[in-house]
Amino acid sequence: MIALVESYRAGLFKRAHWLPNIVAGIIVGIVALPLAMAFAIASGVKPEQGLYTAIIAGLLVSIFGGTRIQIAGPTGAFIVILAGVVAQFGVEGLLVATLMAGVILVLMGLARLGAVIRYISDPVIVGFTAGIAVIIWVGQWQYFFGLPTPSGDAFYQKTYGLLQSFAQLHWPTTLIGLGSLALVLLGPRIPGLTRVPGPLLAMIIATVLTTAFAMPGVATIESAYGAIPRTLPSFHWPDMSFDQITMLLPAAFTIAMLGAIESLLSAVVADGMAGTRHNSNQELIGQGVANIVSPLFGGIAATGALARTATNFRNGATSPLAGIVHSVTLVLVLLVIAPYAGKVPLAALAAILFVVAWNMSEAGRFVRMVRRAPRADMVILLITFTLTIFTDLVVAVNIGVILAMFQFVRRMSSSVEVLEEDPHSLRAELARLGVEQLPPGVMVYSINGPFFFGSVESLDRALSWSRGGPEFLVLRLDRVPLLDATGLKRLDTTIQAQAKKGVRILLCGASLRVLRKLVRAGIVSRADPASYFADLGEALAYVERERAGKAALPPQSTSEA
């Protein structure tokens, strides 16, 4: 259900709830102001495009999303992929990729894939998030220290160029950056300023200093990108062609996946704080709508922002009204104080992004995972981290997910066992059936675990007898929760191969779901009652009838032979 409708039915739009949600919305709107501009600049677009994104996405996710207190907007996770798209396809290409990502998110929500996103493994998420954090951190050196623009496109080339240019460090810019960093980290601890967000405090004081005192060489938003317009964005349909859509599809898919992961993680955290329960599929639809509309008005990719959502809750938000007020607040800021925002020094925004990068990196969690996680998970973490930094996010995420899937299949296949059931372990069950022991020439095997493409070899290994096999082999399937096409094919092949050796395999005990697959594959047939038995007792009774029938047949004469 849409969170807006759910909140209305819960009575959260009554007058008693207005004030805390309005206050929370105003505060989180002020917090979003410097972050939106900083993320936009780092992504390679104009600062006002970050504000447009926060306004539009914040409004639409609050209306159409599946989380009551979610705040959406541009986030640090997108910086690397968006900057790469801008560098290769320009801002127009970024708008097209964002719109495509929005369509993908809506389709994912309609297909009810909200729960599937949670199955992406932690090593992959932590690896690419930490890699993004490193790229953001290094990418802000230029603005924090006033260094010249580095040459080269690759990360290592830019890093090497920046390290070489540290001799040209601009001290006024660096001091502004260091002071801003101190205010971001320590500002809320200053008596009387505890309610003022650190990023906002740093931005205001740095702007006042650079405006009041002549500081030649200190770059500001206005000097680098021009004045921020005091107008709302106008509608613009981006130019797109089939070839461009084809080339942008990998980037669009990555934006959609990142947006889905981050928004749903933020929704889970919001549920834990507020005691609510989000609708993951509706959340994807809300995020998709936001990313479809945002680029039509000059905005960039957006998703649920964890820090802003947490700020929203801590200041009393209980419903989507706070997210709507957050967007209205940013509209007023854009119309009233846009000229002053252009005076913000880039070093102050770089300091804000330094802190964002540190928080994104989850350094403590990264180190713990490297030290304590299973070796395979540690390798996946480091590979994803390294590829994110030295190749690109699309490659890193794809390879990380593929490696995690292979590792999962390996673990699942090793957990599947095909075991012979010892006559002693069957004693109690046989006693209930009125049988003292297994008939001679009969063996009972059980498959324990999902019988899928990664585990089919376990059946061949178990049935590779060093000497002649039994006359009858009862194969119990009661512990098989899953059977795929490869498992069905291998089971059928094994039954036929053992029959040529004189071993009859009797299947029994499958769940209704597995039995239907066996019937559909033709392995079990109603025309052949001996192809399947409900339980072990029926299978053993069939063996006795078969042997009794053979014993009753007259012996073959020599002439007939």
Side-chain angles (χ1 to χ4, degrees):
M1 184 186 297
I2 297 178
L4 190 72
V5 177
E6 184 187 41
S7 299
Y8 175 78
R9 292 179 179 177
L12 295 177
F13 289 138
K14 292 181 179 178
R15 190 180 298 271
H17 294 278
W18 286 7
L19 184 59
N21 281 282
I22 290 173
V23 171
I26 293 172
I27 292 174
V28 80
I30 293 171
V31 171
L33 173 64
L35 295 174
M37 293 192 296
F39 292 144
I41 292 172
S43 299
V45 299
K46 295 182 178 181
E48 60 265 27
Q49 291 181 266
L51 294 177
Y52 299 159
T53 307
I55 292 168
I56 296 168
L59 178 65
L60 294 177
V61 169
S62 295
I63 294 174
F64 297 106
T67 309
R68 290 184 185 179
I69 60 172
Q70 181 86 284
I71 299 295
T75 66
F78 282 135
I79 288 175
V80 176
I81 184 67
L82 300 190
V85 174
V86 171
Q88 187 174 359
F89 301 99
V91 176
E92 197 77 2
L94 175 60
L95 300 181
V96 174
T98 303
L99 194 153
M100 291 167 60
V103 173
I104 293 171
L105 283 167
V106 170
L107 294 176
M108 289 170 65
L110 293 175
R112 308 186 70 80
L113 295 178
V116 176
I117 302 299
R118 294 179 297 180
Y119 298 134
I120 297 179
S121 68
D122 271 358
V124 176
I125 294 175
V126 174
F128 75 68
T129 304
I132 291 169
V134 171
I135 294 173
I136 293 173
W137 177 60
V138 173
Q140 294 305 304
W141 289 0
Q142 174 189 352
Y143 306 110
F144 190 89
F145 298 106
L147 303 176
T149 302
S151 59
D153 295 325
F155 173 81
Y156 71 90
Q157 292 173 327
K158 292 180 180 178
T159 305
Y160 183 70
L162 287 169
L163 290 173
Q164 282 190 316
S165 66
F166 260 93
Q168 305 173 48
L169 178 146
H170 188 255
W171 278 108
T173 299
T174 304
L175 291 174
I176 290 289
L178 291 172
S180 300
L181 183 61
L183 287 170
V184 173
L185 296 173
L186 305 175
R189 301 181 186 179
I190 300 173
L193 297 176
T194 54
R195 300 287 293 179
V196 180
L200 180 65
L201 184 64
M203 187 180 72
I204 292 174
I205 293 180
T207 303
V208 169
L209 288 175
T210 53
T211 304
F213 301 98
M215 293 187 180
V218 176
T220 64
I221 290 177
E222 191 173 277
S223 66
Y225 300 96
I228 297 177
R230 295 177 62 176
T231 58
L232 294 175
S234 57
F235 179 85
H236 166 67
W237 183 263
D239 295 329
M240 61 179 75
S241 62
F242 180 78
D243 290 341
Q244 187 183 38
I245 290 173
T246 303
M247 290 187 291
L248 286 169
L249 189 58
F253 182 77
T254 304
I255 292 171
M257 289 299 295
L258 282 177
I261 292 169
E262 191 164 3
S263 65
L264 293 181
L265 287 176
S266 178
V268 170
V269 173
D271 284 347
M273 292 186 297
T276 56
R277 185 176 181 181
H278 75 279
N279 184 323
S280 57
N281 296 311
Q282 186 61 48
E283 183 64 25
L284 291 182
I285 292 173
Q287 297 290 341
V289 171
N291 281 282
I292 290 172
V293 177
S294 176
L296 299 180
F297 292 89
I300 58 176
T303 185
L306 180 55
R308 275 160 275 173
T309 300
T311 302
N312 194 34
F313 169 75
R314 293 192 192 106
N315 287 280
T318 58
S319 76
L321 176 61
I324 296 171
V325 173
H326 143 270
S327 294
V328 173
T329 302
L330 286 172
V331 169
L332 295 176
V333 167
L334 183 65
L335 296 178
V336 175
I337 66 168
Y340 304 101
K343 306 297 182 182
V344 176
L346 296 182
L349 296 181
I352 294 171
L353 288 178
F354 273 9
V355 177
V356 169
W358 172 256
N359 292 333
M360 277 184 63
S361 70
E362 296 187 273
R365 185 180 179 191
F366 186 95
V367 172
R368 284 194 302 273
M369 195 170 286
V370 169
R371 295 175 58 185
R372 301 176 184 176
R375 183 173 299 177
D377 289 331
M378 180 196 68
V379 170
I380 292 171
L381 168 72
L382 295 177
I383 288 175
T384 307
F385 173 73
T386 304
L387 289 176
T388 300
I389 294 175
F390 292 104
T391 58
D392 63 66
L393 197 56
V394 177
V395 173
V397 171
N398 289 341
I399 290 181
V401 170
I402 290 171
L403 289 176
M405 289 173 59
F406 284 157
Q407 174 62 8
F408 172 76
V409 170
R410 187 186 71 82
R411 287 173 176 168
M412 287 294 294
S413 61
S414 64
S415 69
V416 177
E417 296 178 319
V418 181
L419 300 175
E420 179 186 359
E421 297 202 14
D422 188 89
H424 294 290
S425 64
L426 288 171
R427 185 174 299 169
E429 188 173 355
L430 293 174
R432 287 195 298 272
L433 298 173
V435 180
E436 292 185 2
Q437 60 182 7
L438 282 176
V442 177
M443 297 179 69
V444 179
Y445 274 71
S446 65
I447 301 178
N448 302 324
F451 196 61
F452 68 113
F453 66 91
S455 61
V456 291
E457 297 297 332
S458 57
L459 181 61
D460 292 338
R461 288 196 301 268
L463 302 187
S464 297
W465 295 291
S466 56
R467 42 195 173 81
E471 182 182 356
F472 293 94
L473 189 148
V474 180
L475 190 59
R476 306 182 73 172
L477 305 176
D478 48 304
R479 296 178 184 174
V480 178
L482 170 70
L483 188 62
D484 72 352
T486 307
L488 287 167
K489 177 64 177 176
R490 183 58 59 90
L491 189 59
D492 189 30
T493 303
T494 301
I495 292 173
Q496 295 178 25
Q498 293 298 323
K500 293 178 180 178
K501 300 177 183 179
V503 179
R504 292 192 61 184
I505 293 182
L506 310 179
L507 305 177
C508 73
S511 66
L512 183 60
R513 180 181 180 184
V514 171
L515 181 57
R516 285 173 178 167
K517 293 183 178 181
L518 292 170
V519 172
R520 194 178 299 120
I523 298 173
V524 171
S525 172
R526 292 175 182 173
D528 181 12
S531 62
Y532 177 76
F533 303 92
D535 53 33
L536 177 62
E538 285 192 10
L540 294 180
Y542 171 78
V543 171
E544 294 296 336
R545 289 197 302 272
E546 280 286 290
R547 287 179 171 171
K550 287 182 179 180
L553 292 175
Q556 227 176 8
S557 66
T558 307
S559 60
E560 289 175 342

